Amino acid sequence: MPPRWPRQPDRNDPAYRKLDDRMNFAVHVAIFAACNSGAWFFRILNAATWEWTLWLTGGWALLLLSHGVYIFAIADYSDSKQPKSS
């Protein structure tokens, strides 16, 4: 069952932004797992010496790690409604 948001979704809402970013990260992890497991499966099945699979997995894992560090450690989800000075 998908998560339900108790109020109107608004990207300016810090709690909604945090949940949205974490769900987006989870989708990225799932795509990473599916694509890389497929690449490695066919590499092993064909007994191939594809060097690009190692580079693909390593590079994508570093990007995914940096995305995770940003989402879970760096991102500021505090209320951004500050009065604007004219």
Side-chain angles (χ1 to χ4, degrees):
M1 185 169 219
R4 294 179 186 251
W5 196 247
R7 51 193 177 273
Q8 184 67 27
D10 180 17
R11 188 75 180 147
N12 293 325
D13 181 6
Y16 178 77
R17 249 189 359 256
K18 185 176 183 179
L19 177 65
D20 186 42
D21 286 350
R22 289 182 180 204
M23 287 176 25
N24 189 12
F25 179 72
V27 168
H28 288 164
V29 169
I31 292 170
F32 169 81
C35 291
N36 280 287
S37 65
W40 283 93
F41 172 77
F42 285 110
R43 176 185 171 158
I44 293 169
L45 182 68
N46 293 333
T49 56
W50 299 336
E51 293 181 17
W52 59 267
T53 51
L54 184 60
W55 287 102
L56 174 75
T57 302
W60 200 345
L62 285 175
L63 288 172
L64 198 60
L65 178 67
S66 63
H67 185 192
V69 167
Y70 176 76
I71 294 298
F72 295 105
I74 298 173
D76 180 21
Y77 295 108
S78 61
D79 195 8
S80 62
K81 293 183 179 180
Q82 307 256 342
K84 293 182 179 181
S85 59
S86 338

